[in-house]
Amino acid sequence: MAEQPLVGIIMGSASDMPVMEACTAQLEEFGVPYELIIASAHRNPAKVHEWASTAADRGLRVIVAAAGKAAHLGGVVAAYTPLPIIGVPIKTSDLGGMDSLLSMVQMPSGVPVACVAINGAKNAAIYATQILGAQDPAFRQTIETFKAGMAQA
Ligand code: RP5
């Protein structure tokens, strides 16, 4: 039987996937089971609603939401779930990702979306694992080992 996904990754377009491969690769290296969906807050709002509103009951513990341009995806997902959201603003051709960053990070009071750097997909995976590690000693150890490795590099 497949492992229960703990991290849910949602991205606005298949065009975000090359950036988000740094997130999936890091989660795989850490042994964190995840699920992945492509759904846009603007193009597929019903799909986003269905996925986000069932995420917690399906066993997910943290969500990574990646989007570019008018990047409302993290905020829309946050509206439908009690789970913590980590936003990944995707670099864009017109405004270099500042559009994505500001759309994602400037959430109104009451609806937080944590936000990593533009194209910060690897950090999103690390942060998601840190959130898991706050409750799960195995993932806490994963992060401690990772940090110890960086200190030796
Ligand atoms: C956003 O629009 C996506 O997250 C993507 O970063 C951006 C461009 O999407 P495509 O036009 O490449 O599908 O919704």
Side-chain angles (χ1 to χ4, degrees), residues 11-16 40-43 66-70 73 90-92 100:
M11 61 190 83
S13 170
S15 67
D16 300 326
S40 158
H42 307 116
R43 294 165 172 157
K69 303 191 175 186
L73 187 58
I90 300 293
K91 189 170 184 180
T92 56
S100 320

mmCIF file with all atom_site columns, all heavy atoms in Angstrom, residues 11-16 40-43 66-70 73 90-92 100, ligand 1:
data_model
loop_
_atom_site.group_PDB
_atom_site.id
_atom_site.type_symbol
_atom_site.label_atom_id
_atom_site.label_alt_id
_atom_site.label_comp_id
_atom_site.label_asym_id
_atom_site.label_entity_id
_atom_site.label_seq_id
_atom_site.pdbx_PDB_ins_code
_atom_site.Cartn_x
_atom_site.Cartn_y
_atom_site.Cartn_z
_atom_site.occupancy
_atom_site.B_iso_or_equiv
_atom_site.pdbx_formal_charge
_atom_site.auth_seq_id
_atom_site.auth_comp_id
_atom_site.auth_asym_id
_atom_site.auth_atom_id
_atom_site.pdbx_PDB_model_num
ATOM   1   N N   . MET A 1 11  ? 0.128   23.353 -7.635  1.00 0.00 ? 11  MET A N   1
ATOM   2   C CA  . MET A 1 11  ? 0.761   24.408 -8.451  1.00 0.00 ? 11  MET A CA  1
ATOM   3   C C   . MET A 1 11  ? -0.212  24.848 -9.535  1.00 0.00 ? 11  MET A C   1
ATOM   4   O O   . MET A 1 11  ? -1.062  24.068 -9.982  1.00 0.00 ? 11  MET A O   1
ATOM   5   C CB  . MET A 1 11  ? 2.089   23.945 -9.023  1.00 0.00 ? 11  MET A CB  1
ATOM   6   C CG  . MET A 1 11  ? 2.036   22.762 -9.930  1.00 0.00 ? 11  MET A CG  1
ATOM   7   S SD  . MET A 1 11  ? 3.703   22.151 -10.313 1.00 0.00 ? 11  MET A SD  1
ATOM   8   C CE  . MET A 1 11  ? 4.013   21.128 -8.871  1.00 0.00 ? 11  MET A CE  1
ATOM   9   N N   . GLY A 1 12  ? -0.056  26.107 -9.933  1.00 0.00 ? 12  GLY A N   1
ATOM   10  C CA  . GLY A 1 12  ? -1.035  26.713 -10.819 1.00 0.00 ? 12  GLY A CA  1
ATOM   11  C C   . GLY A 1 12  ? -0.989  26.229 -12.250 1.00 0.00 ? 12  GLY A C   1
ATOM   12  O O   . GLY A 1 12  ? -1.979  26.347 -12.975 1.00 0.00 ? 12  GLY A O   1
ATOM   13  N N   . SER A 1 13  ? 0.141   25.671 -12.671 1.00 0.00 ? 13  SER A N   1
ATOM   14  C CA  . SER A 1 13  ? 0.299   25.266 -14.064 1.00 0.00 ? 13  SER A CA  1
ATOM   15  C C   . SER A 1 13  ? 1.377   24.200 -14.161 1.00 0.00 ? 13  SER A C   1
ATOM   16  O O   . SER A 1 13  ? 2.308   24.167 -13.336 1.00 0.00 ? 13  SER A O   1
ATOM   17  C CB  . SER A 1 13  ? 0.706   26.482 -14.906 1.00 0.00 ? 13  SER A CB  1
ATOM   18  O OG  . SER A 1 13  ? 1.093   26.077 -16.210 1.00 0.00 ? 13  SER A OG  1
ATOM   19  N N   . ALA A 1 14  ? 1.272   23.374 -15.187 1.00 0.00 ? 14  ALA A N   1
ATOM   20  C CA  . ALA A 1 14  ? 2.337   22.408 -15.457 1.00 0.00 ? 14  ALA A CA  1
ATOM   21  C C   . ALA A 1 14  ? 3.652   23.134 -15.742 1.00 0.00 ? 14  ALA A C   1
ATOM   22  O O   . ALA A 1 14  ? 4.733   22.567 -15.556 1.00 0.00 ? 14  ALA A O   1
ATOM   23  C CB  . ALA A 1 14  ? 1.948   21.520 -16.635 1.00 0.00 ? 14  ALA A CB  1
ATOM   24  N N   . SER A 1 15  ? 3.558   24.395 -16.165 1.00 0.00 ? 15  SER A N   1
ATOM   25  C CA  . SER A 1 15  ? 4.784   25.153 -16.452 1.00 0.00 ? 15  SER A CA  1
ATOM   26  C C   . SER A 1 15  ? 5.570   25.464 -15.170 1.00 0.00 ? 15  SER A C   1
ATOM   27  O O   . SER A 1 15  ? 6.726   25.871 -15.243 1.00 0.00 ? 15  SER A O   1
ATOM   28  C CB  . SER A 1 15  ? 4.462   26.450 -17.207 1.00 0.00 ? 15  SER A CB  1
ATOM   29  O OG  . SER A 1 15  ? 3.742   27.350 -16.380 1.00 0.00 ? 15  SER A OG  1
ATOM   30  N N   . ASP A 1 16  ? 4.949   25.279 -14.003 1.00 0.00 ? 16  ASP A N   1
ATOM   31  C CA  . ASP A 1 16  ? 5.648   25.491 -12.721 1.00 0.00 ? 16  ASP A CA  1
ATOM   32  C C   . ASP A 1 16  ? 6.494   24.269 -12.322 1.00 0.00 ? 16  ASP A C   1
ATOM   33  O O   . ASP A 1 16  ? 7.312   24.350 -11.398 1.00 0.00 ? 16  ASP A O   1
ATOM   34  C CB  . ASP A 1 16  ? 4.645   25.773 -11.596 1.00 0.00 ? 16  ASP A CB  1
ATOM   35  C CG  . ASP A 1 16  ? 3.812   27.017 -11.856 1.00 0.00 ? 16  ASP A CG  1
ATOM   36  O OD1 . ASP A 1 16  ? 4.345   27.964 -12.462 1.00 0.00 ? 16  ASP A OD1 1
ATOM   37  O OD2 . ASP A 1 16  ? 2.633   27.036 -11.441 1.00 0.00 ? 16  ASP A OD2 1
ATOM   38  N N   . SER A 1 40  ? -5.285  25.673 -10.922 1.00 0.00 ? 40  SER A N   1
ATOM   39  C CA  . SER A 1 40  ? -5.119  27.125 -10.818 1.00 0.00 ? 40  SER A CA  1
ATOM   40  C C   . SER A 1 40  ? -6.298  27.750 -10.087 1.00 0.00 ? 40  SER A C   1
ATOM   41  O O   . SER A 1 40  ? -7.451  27.361 -10.307 1.00 0.00 ? 40  SER A O   1
ATOM   42  C CB  . SER A 1 40  ? -5.013  27.702 -12.240 1.00 0.00 ? 40  SER A CB  1
ATOM   43  O OG  . SER A 1 40  ? -5.354  29.063 -12.252 1.00 0.00 ? 40  SER A OG  1
ATOM   44  N N   . ALA A 1 41  ? -5.988  28.730 -9.245  1.00 0.00 ? 41  ALA A N   1
ATOM   45  C CA  . ALA A 1 41  ? -7.054  29.455 -8.533  1.00 0.00 ? 41  ALA A CA  1
ATOM   46  C C   . ALA A 1 41  ? -7.974  30.170 -9.511  1.00 0.00 ? 41  ALA A C   1
ATOM   47  O O   . ALA A 1 41  ? -9.149  30.402 -9.202  1.00 0.00 ? 41  ALA A O   1
ATOM   48  C CB  . ALA A 1 41  ? -6.432  30.463 -7.567  1.00 0.00 ? 41  ALA A CB  1
ATOM   49  N N   . HIS A 1 42  ? -7.435  30.506 -10.678 1.00 0.00 ? 42  HIS A N   1
ATOM   50  C CA  . HIS A 1 42  ? -8.225  31.266 -11.652 1.00 0.00 ? 42  HIS A CA  1
ATOM   51  C C   . HIS A 1 42  ? -8.844  30.379 -12.724 1.00 0.00 ? 42  HIS A C   1
ATOM   52  O O   . HIS A 1 42  ? -9.953  30.633 -13.170 1.00 0.00 ? 42  HIS A O   1
ATOM   53  C CB  . HIS A 1 42  ? -7.325  32.319 -12.325 1.00 0.00 ? 42  HIS A CB  1
ATOM   54  C CG  . HIS A 1 42  ? -6.614  33.198 -11.345 1.00 0.00 ? 42  HIS A CG  1
ATOM   55  N ND1 . HIS A 1 42  ? -5.240  33.221 -11.209 1.00 0.00 ? 42  HIS A ND1 1
ATOM   56  C CD2 . HIS A 1 42  ? -7.090  34.070 -10.429 1.00 0.00 ? 42  HIS A CD2 1
ATOM   57  C CE1 . HIS A 1 42  ? -4.907  34.071 -10.261 1.00 0.00 ? 42  HIS A CE1 1
ATOM   58  N NE2 . HIS A 1 42  ? -6.003  34.602 -9.762  1.00 0.00 ? 42  HIS A NE2 1
ATOM   59  N N   . ARG A 1 43  ? -8.099  29.345 -13.126 1.00 0.00 ? 43  ARG A N   1
ATOM   60  C CA  . ARG A 1 43  ? -8.602  28.517 -14.231 1.00 0.00 ? 43  ARG A CA  1
ATOM   61  C C   . ARG A 1 43  ? -9.427  27.340 -13.753 1.00 0.00 ? 43  ARG A C   1
ATOM   62  O O   . ARG A 1 43  ? -10.305 26.858 -14.460 1.00 0.00 ? 43  ARG A O   1
ATOM   63  C CB  . ARG A 1 43  ? -7.420  27.994 -15.047 1.00 0.00 ? 43  ARG A CB  1
ATOM   64  C CG  . ARG A 1 43  ? -6.634  29.072 -15.782 1.00 0.00 ? 43  ARG A CG  1
ATOM   65  C CD  . ARG A 1 43  ? -5.301  28.511 -16.230 1.00 0.00 ? 43  ARG A CD  1
ATOM   66  N NE  . ARG A 1 43  ? -4.579  29.421 -17.104 1.00 0.00 ? 43  ARG A NE  1
ATOM   67  C CZ  . ARG A 1 43  ? -3.269  29.382 -17.270 1.00 0.00 ? 43  ARG A CZ  1
ATOM   68  N NH1 . ARG A 1 43  ? -2.533  28.490 -16.628 1.00 0.00 ? 43  ARG A NH1 1
ATOM   69  N NH2 . ARG A 1 43  ? -2.669  30.231 -18.073 1.00 0.00 ? 43  ARG A NH2 1
ATOM   70  N N   . ALA A 1 66  ? 2.411   26.629 -5.150  1.00 0.00 ? 66  ALA A N   1
ATOM   71  C CA  . ALA A 1 66  ? 3.308   27.353 -6.055  1.00 0.00 ? 66  ALA A CA  1
ATOM   72  C C   . ALA A 1 66  ? 2.500   27.985 -7.173  1.00 0.00 ? 66  ALA A C   1
ATOM   73  O O   . ALA A 1 66  ? 1.648   27.322 -7.774  1.00 0.00 ? 66  ALA A O   1
ATOM   74  C CB  . ALA A 1 66  ? 4.337   26.393 -6.642  1.00 0.00 ? 66  ALA A CB  1
ATOM   75  N N   . ALA A 1 67  ? 2.784   29.262 -7.435  1.00 0.00 ? 67  ALA A N   1
ATOM   76  C CA  . ALA A 1 67  ? 2.077   29.915 -8.530  1.00 0.00 ? 67  ALA A CA  1
ATOM   77  C C   . ALA A 1 67  ? 2.863   31.138 -8.982  1.00 0.00 ? 67  ALA A C   1
ATOM   78  O O   . ALA A 1 67  ? 3.678   31.694 -8.241  1.00 0.00 ? 67  ALA A O   1
ATOM   79  C CB  . ALA A 1 67  ? 0.669   30.319 -8.111  1.00 0.00 ? 67  ALA A CB  1
ATOM   80  N N   . GLY A 1 68  ? 2.581   31.540 -10.216 1.00 0.00 ? 68  GLY A N   1
ATOM   81  C CA  . GLY A 1 68  ? 3.236   32.705 -10.771 1.00 0.00 ? 68  GLY A CA  1
ATOM   82  C C   . GLY A 1 68  ? 2.239   33.773 -11.174 1.00 0.00 ? 68  GLY A C   1
ATOM   83  O O   . GLY A 1 68  ? 1.037   33.548 -11.205 1.00 0.00 ? 68  GLY A O   1
ATOM   84  N N   . LYS A 1 69  ? 2.749   34.966 -11.445 1.00 0.00 ? 69  LYS A N   1
ATOM   85  C CA  . LYS A 1 69  ? 1.954   36.134 -11.857 1.00 0.00 ? 69  LYS A CA  1
ATOM   86  C C   . LYS A 1 69  ? 1.033   36.578 -10.715 1.00 0.00 ? 69  LYS A C   1
ATOM   87  O O   . LYS A 1 69  ? 1.516   36.763 -9.606  1.00 0.00 ? 69  LYS A O   1
ATOM   88  C CB  . LYS A 1 69  ? 1.222   35.829 -13.158 1.00 0.00 ? 69  LYS A CB  1
ATOM   89  C CG  . LYS A 1 69  ? 2.185   35.428 -14.283 1.00 0.00 ? 69  LYS A CG  1
ATOM   90  C CD  . LYS A 1 69  ? 1.538   35.386 -15.636 1.00 0.00 ? 69  LYS A CD  1
ATOM   91  C CE  . LYS A 1 69  ? 2.604   35.097 -16.693 1.00 0.00 ? 69  LYS A CE  1
ATOM   92  N NZ  . LYS A 1 69  ? 2.121   35.165 -18.044 1.00 0.00 ? 69  LYS A NZ  1
ATOM   93  N N   . ALA A 1 70  ? -0.267  36.751 -10.967 1.00 0.00 ? 70  ALA A N   1
ATOM   94  C CA  . ALA A 1 70  ? -1.200  37.134 -9.893  1.00 0.00 ? 70  ALA A CA  1
ATOM   95  C C   . ALA A 1 70  ? -1.451  35.881 -9.053  1.00 0.00 ? 70  ALA A C   1
ATOM   96  O O   . ALA A 1 70  ? -2.461  35.193 -9.215  1.00 0.00 ? 70  ALA A O   1
ATOM   97  C CB  . ALA A 1 70  ? -2.490  37.669 -10.488 1.00 0.00 ? 70  ALA A CB  1
ATOM   98  N N   . LEU A 1 73  ? -3.042  31.540 -5.453  1.00 0.00 ? 73  LEU A N   1
ATOM   99  C CA  . LEU A 1 73  ? -3.330  30.143 -5.128  1.00 0.00 ? 73  LEU A CA  1
ATOM   100 C C   . LEU A 1 73  ? -3.185  29.824 -3.636  1.00 0.00 ? 73  LEU A C   1
ATOM   101 O O   . LEU A 1 73  ? -4.062  29.191 -3.056  1.00 0.00 ? 73  LEU A O   1
ATOM   102 C CB  . LEU A 1 73  ? -2.426  29.228 -5.962  1.00 0.00 ? 73  LEU A CB  1
ATOM   103 C CG  . LEU A 1 73  ? -2.708  27.737 -5.873  1.00 0.00 ? 73  LEU A CG  1
ATOM   104 C CD1 . LEU A 1 73  ? -4.138  27.416 -6.285  1.00 0.00 ? 73  LEU A CD1 1
ATOM   105 C CD2 . LEU A 1 73  ? -1.717  26.959 -6.739  1.00 0.00 ? 73  LEU A CD2 1
ATOM   106 N N   . ILE A 1 90  ? 6.590   31.877 -8.139  1.00 0.00 ? 90  ILE A N   1
ATOM   107 C CA  . ILE A 1 90  ? 7.342   31.422 -9.313  1.00 0.00 ? 90  ILE A CA  1
ATOM   108 C C   . ILE A 1 90  ? 7.848   32.629 -10.105 1.00 0.00 ? 90  ILE A C   1
ATOM   109 O O   . ILE A 1 90  ? 7.125   33.612 -10.302 1.00 0.00 ? 90  ILE A O   1
ATOM   110 C CB  . ILE A 1 90  ? 6.441   30.540 -10.211 1.00 0.00 ? 90  ILE A CB  1
ATOM   111 C CG1 . ILE A 1 90  ? 5.949   29.294 -9.440  1.00 0.00 ? 90  ILE A CG1 1
ATOM   112 C CG2 . ILE A 1 90  ? 7.181   30.148 -11.488 1.00 0.00 ? 90  ILE A CG2 1
ATOM   113 C CD1 . ILE A 1 90  ? 7.026   28.300 -9.068  1.00 0.00 ? 90  ILE A CD1 1
ATOM   114 N N   . LYS A 1 91  ? 9.109   32.543 -10.531 1.00 0.00 ? 91  LYS A N   1
ATOM   115 C CA  . LYS A 1 91  ? 9.700   33.598 -11.358 1.00 0.00 ? 91  LYS A CA  1
ATOM   116 C C   . LYS A 1 91  ? 8.923   33.724 -12.669 1.00 0.00 ? 91  LYS A C   1
ATOM   117 O O   . LYS A 1 91  ? 8.527   32.718 -13.263 1.00 0.00 ? 91  LYS A O   1
ATOM   118 C CB  . LYS A 1 91  ? 11.167  33.257 -11.647 1.00 0.00 ? 91  LYS A CB  1
ATOM   119 C CG  . LYS A 1 91  ? 11.926  34.377 -12.306 1.00 0.00 ? 91  LYS A CG  1
ATOM   120 C CD  . LYS A 1 91  ? 13.415  34.079 -12.347 1.00 0.00 ? 91  LYS A CD  1
ATOM   121 C CE  . LYS A 1 91  ? 14.171  35.262 -12.930 1.00 0.00 ? 91  LYS A CE  1
ATOM   122 N NZ  . LYS A 1 91  ? 15.624  34.996 -12.972 1.00 0.00 ? 91  LYS A NZ  1
ATOM   123 N N   . THR A 1 92  ? 8.708   34.958 -13.092 1.00 0.00 ? 92  THR A N   1
ATOM   124 C CA  . THR A 1 92  ? 7.920   35.198 -14.304 1.00 0.00 ? 92  THR A CA  1
ATOM   125 C C   . THR A 1 92  ? 8.734   35.982 -15.333 1.00 0.00 ? 92  THR A C   1
ATOM   126 O O   . THR A 1 92  ? 9.712   36.661 -14.988 1.00 0.00 ? 92  THR A O   1
ATOM   127 C CB  . THR A 1 92  ? 6.648   35.998 -13.966 1.00 0.00 ? 92  THR A CB  1
ATOM   128 O OG1 . THR A 1 92  ? 7.033   37.213 -13.314 1.00 0.00 ? 92  THR A OG1 1
ATOM   129 C CG2 . THR A 1 92  ? 5.729   35.208 -13.054 1.00 0.00 ? 92  THR A CG2 1
ATOM   130 N N   . SER A 1 100 ? 4.507   37.588 -8.513  1.00 0.00 ? 100 SER A N   1
ATOM   131 C CA  . SER A 1 100 ? 4.132   36.383 -7.755  1.00 0.00 ? 100 SER A CA  1
ATOM   132 C C   . SER A 1 100 ? 4.402   36.575 -6.264  1.00 0.00 ? 100 SER A C   1
ATOM   133 O O   . SER A 1 100 ? 3.571   36.234 -5.411  1.00 0.00 ? 100 SER A O   1
ATOM   134 C CB  . SER A 1 100 ? 4.944   35.181 -8.247  1.00 0.00 ? 100 SER A CB  1
ATOM   135 O OG  . SER A 1 100 ? 5.082   35.187 -9.640  1.00 0.00 ? 100 SER A OG  1
HETATM 136 C C1  . RP5 B 2 .   ? 0.017   30.753 -12.963 1.00 0.00 ? 1   RP5 B C1  1
HETATM 137 O O1  . RP5 B 2 .   ? 0.304   31.386 -14.153 1.00 0.00 ? 1   RP5 B O1  1
HETATM 138 C C2  . RP5 B 2 .   ? 0.874   29.535 -12.917 1.00 0.00 ? 1   RP5 B C2  1
HETATM 139 O O2  . RP5 B 2 .   ? 1.190   29.225 -11.597 1.00 0.00 ? 1   RP5 B O2  1
HETATM 140 C C3  . RP5 B 2 .   ? 2.074   29.859 -13.747 1.00 0.00 ? 1   RP5 B C3  1
HETATM 141 O O3  . RP5 B 2 .   ? 3.192   30.207 -12.935 1.00 0.00 ? 1   RP5 B O3  1
HETATM 142 C C4  . RP5 B 2 .   ? 1.623   31.089 -14.538 1.00 0.00 ? 1   RP5 B C4  1
HETATM 143 C C5  . RP5 B 2 .   ? 1.676   30.863 -16.015 1.00 0.00 ? 1   RP5 B C5  1
HETATM 144 O O4  . RP5 B 2 .   ? 0.942   29.699 -16.330 1.00 0.00 ? 1   RP5 B O4  1
HETATM 145 P P1  . RP5 B 2 .   ? 0.934   29.114 -17.808 1.00 0.00 ? 1   RP5 B P1  1
HETATM 146 O O5  . RP5 B 2 .   ? 0.362   30.192 -18.683 1.00 0.00 ? 1   RP5 B O5  1
HETATM 147 O O6  . RP5 B 2 .   ? 2.371   28.788 -18.152 1.00 0.00 ? 1   RP5 B O6  1
HETATM 148 O O7  . RP5 B 2 .   ? 0.065   27.885 -17.742 1.00 0.00 ? 1   RP5 B O7  1
HETATM 149 O O8  . RP5 B 2 .   ? -1.320  30.403 -12.873 1.00 0.00 ? 1   RP5 B O8  1
#
